[in-house]
Every structure is written in structure tokens, then in C-alpha cells.
Amino acid sequence: MPIEFTHVPGKTADAAIPFFYDFAETATKLGLIEDGGFQKIVVDDSAGLLTNMDLAAQVLDRTASLEVVLTHWAGVVEPTVAARQLASIDRKSGGRLALRMISEPLNDDDAESRPVGHSVVWQRIDEYLVLLKRLWSNDRPFDHEGAFYSIKGGYVPRKGPHGADLTIRMGGQSGTALKVAGRHADVFELAPGSIDDVRQLMERVRGAAAEHGRAGKLRFALPVRIHQGASATGHKAVDLSGPPAQVALSLLAYAGLGIDEFMIVGVDTSREIATAGRETISLLRNSLARREHDAFQPSAYAPHAGLETRVAR
């Protein structure tokens, strides 16, 4: 599959206006994002989960091809309600919705009382996703009594286009997180790091997925910041600086690991969006096209001297 690019709206510490605040202006940027070579956009607004759902629906209405990656977490909406709402959004979009499950809400006001302990948080996510998938696929009501959720007559009459195959995106680095991701994730969002760090994490994720017979079904996404500037909060990313050709070359090294998607962070002004599409994305695509018949050798594409690569936090 060709490399895909996902736009991740920045959340800079000094940003006065969130990306989705003025939707008239946002609509213009969405057009640039869609025309600039991005296939996806992350909706991860600080206002919370319910706002994310509303924004996702608006973005899907204003675009023709962008897939919306909706940031979501367990503990705010009951699984039956969430399954119906998400199926409705996906149905109206013609199947352009993906669910990005995170372990913690964006702010404490938008969460119910959270379970205590890392492993318990992930156990709840596991049960939540099992129920969502069951609700998206069952042809008759069912009852469920679990550690975190109790359902009587659970049923979603109108499924989304993909049913239980709606794309699930997850991340994490702990053994517990990888165990849950190995069971559920279709796309794994990698933690930023060096080539060796990322390779090792990918091997761990594949190992976790193999326990469920899914090692070959996972795709990998890496967050990348390709413009220097104010540090973005909430989005850790590999920070690449240098001319577009050098940045594209560095991304080739990561692509050589088997990464399928780059999540571009911090490209938020109209000029930055247009430049990223015209230069970095175009250069990388052209480079991959020229080498599509060659086996990837990460060492052959290592960043050249003078290209600064670091993990931004």
C-alpha cells in the first residue's frame, strides 16, 4: 500500500484559537488539506468526546474524501449509545470514519469516575471495544454483564457501512496496552523515537497481535513534526528539521521499517498546509514511486549528516 498522510491539528501552548473554533476558516483549511495530499485528519478537540463527535460529523459533511480519525475513550458514553452514534456518523459519511481509542480523556471534566490503575483502565477499554464490535455486528439483542458494563437487550438496528470492521486505532508502550491493541487495533500509532526504537516497538506490537492471529493485519502510523516552531502539547512526534528534500529522505528511512502512515503534526496555517503538500508529501511520494520495486533497506535511507532528527515532547 502507498504511504498515507494524516493531518493532526496542532495544540500549541500559546494558541489563542483552536483549529476547529471558527468552522468557516476551518472549512477553507480542510479544502487545502484534502487537495494537498492528506488522506485523513484527526479530530481531537480539547472540548471533549461529545464535541469530537459533532466536529467529526461537520468535517465529513465538508469534505469528499478525507477519512476522519475520531479520538474517543471509554467512560463517558455507554457502549450502546456510542455504538449507535458512531454507526450513524459512519453511515452518513459513506464509511470515512475511524475510531482512535486513547486511554485517558482530554480533561477530567469530560470523564466519569475513572478506574484506578493502568491495567484496569485498559481492561475497561478492552471490554468497551468488545461490546462496540458486538453491537455493530449482532443481528438480535443481547445481554451482557461484565466488570465495567451491564447491557440488557443491546442492539444497534442500523449498522455503519463496515459494521464491526470499522477501523480501530490505538497506541501505547506498556505490556498491558500492547496486549489490548494486539487484540483490537487495525492501525497502531507508534511512539516517536529513533529508527531502532521504532523498529523494536513495532516488533513488540506484532508479537502481541500474533497471539490473536493478527500479526499481518496491523498497519503502523508514526507522528512526525516537519516544521520547527512552538512545541505542541498533547502530540509527541518525531521532529524533523531541514530542507523538504532532506525531511523526505529521513521519512523514507522510517517508511523502510514498514510504516504505512505519517501523522503530520503542527502544520496548521494555510501556508504551512499548502507547503507540506507541495513539497514534503510530494517529494516523499515521488521517491517511493521511484523505488517501489526495490526492497526497503532502512540503513540505506538513514538521515544524512546535517539533518536534525529528534523526538519532540
Side-chain angles (χ1 to χ4, degrees):
M1 291 180 62
I3 296 292
E4 295 187 323
F5 292 86
T6 297
H7 184 270
V8 183
K11 294 187 290 185
T12 56
D14 60 349
I17 302 177
F19 185 84
F20 293 106
Y21 179 79
D22 182 345
F23 214 86
E25 181 178 346
T26 299
T28 299
K29 292 180 180 180
L30 289 174
L32 292 171
I33 290 168
E34 194 166 24
D35 293 340
F38 290 91
Q39 288 75 42
K40 307 172 186 181
I41 183 169
V42 171
V43 173
D44 185 10
D45 193 81
S46 60
L49 186 149
L50 298 179
T51 297
N52 279 352
M53 288 186 172
D54 181 57
L55 289 172
Q58 292 187 60
V59 172
L60 289 163
D61 285 342
R62 299 291 186 96
T63 58
S65 62
L66 277 181
E67 177 181 300
V68 169
V69 178
L70 172 58
T71 303
H72 194 80
W73 53 91
V76 178
V77 182
E78 288 298 313
T80 302
V81 176
R84 288 175 179 166
Q85 292 175 328
L86 293 168
S88 176
I89 295 171
D90 191 37
R91 188 170 60 251
K92 291 178 180 178
S93 74
R96 291 188 288 129
L97 182 69
L99 194 64
R100 179 176 182 250
M101 291 297 302
I102 62 174
S103 60
E104 296 290 338
L106 298 175
N107 59 64
D108 291 334
D109 295 336
D110 205 13
E112 295 176 350
S113 55
R114 283 185 262 173
V116 177
H118 178 79
S119 63
V120 179
V121 169
W122 283 99
Q123 288 168 15
R124 181 171 71 173
I125 292 172
D126 183 38
E127 184 177 343
Y128 187 79
L129 287 173
V130 167
L131 289 172
L132 287 186
K133 292 179 179 181
R134 191 173 177 186
L135 287 160
W136 288 331
S137 61
N138 65 318
D139 57 7
R140 63 186 63 184
F142 68 89
D143 297 338
H144 168 84
E145 194 66 43
F148 302 97
Y149 298 103
S150 177
I151 293 177
K152 300 295 182 183
Y155 184 63
V156 175
R158 301 185 66 192
K159 320 293 187 186
H162 298 127
D165 293 328
L166 181 74
T167 298
I168 304 295
R169 302 170 63 103
M170 304 181 76
Q173 297 185 69
S174 71
T176 302
L178 296 191
K179 182 178 179 179
V180 177
R183 181 180 184 184
H184 294 289
D186 301 296
V187 176
F188 188 88
E189 296 183 3
L190 295 155
S194 67
I195 294 289
D196 287 339
D197 291 338
V198 172
R199 181 191 294 111
Q200 291 171 15
L201 180 55
M202 291 173 70
E203 290 173 355
R204 292 179 62 208
V205 176
R206 288 193 181 104
E211 296 181 9
H212 301 278
R214 305 183 67 250
K217 297 181 179 180
L218 272 173
R219 302 191 304 277
F220 291 94
L222 181 72
V224 174
R225 181 175 293 106
I226 59 175
H227 286 268
Q228 294 194 59
S231 178
T233 61
H235 292 302
K236 295 180 180 180
V238 173
D239 195 20
L240 303 178
S241 61
Q246 289 184 322
V247 172
L249 183 62
S250 186
L251 292 179
L252 275 175
Y254 284 100
L257 299 176
I259 289 170
D260 307 279
E261 173 189 337
F262 290 117
M263 303 174 68
I264 307 301
V265 176
V267 178
D268 294 303
T269 68
S270 296
R271 181 178 180 180
E272 289 171 337
I273 293 167
T275 300
R278 182 176 63 251
E279 297 181 352
T280 304
I281 292 177
S282 178
L283 283 168
L284 181 59
R285 284 221 170 92
N286 290 339
S287 298
L288 288 170
R290 287 194 300 268
R291 303 178 185 187
E292 62 182 355
H293 298 300
D294 299 330
F296 280 119
Q297 299 294 330
S299 60
Y301 307 140
H304 287 180
L307 173 62
E308 181 184 356
T309 304
R310 66 183 186 276
V311 177
R313 302 183 183 277

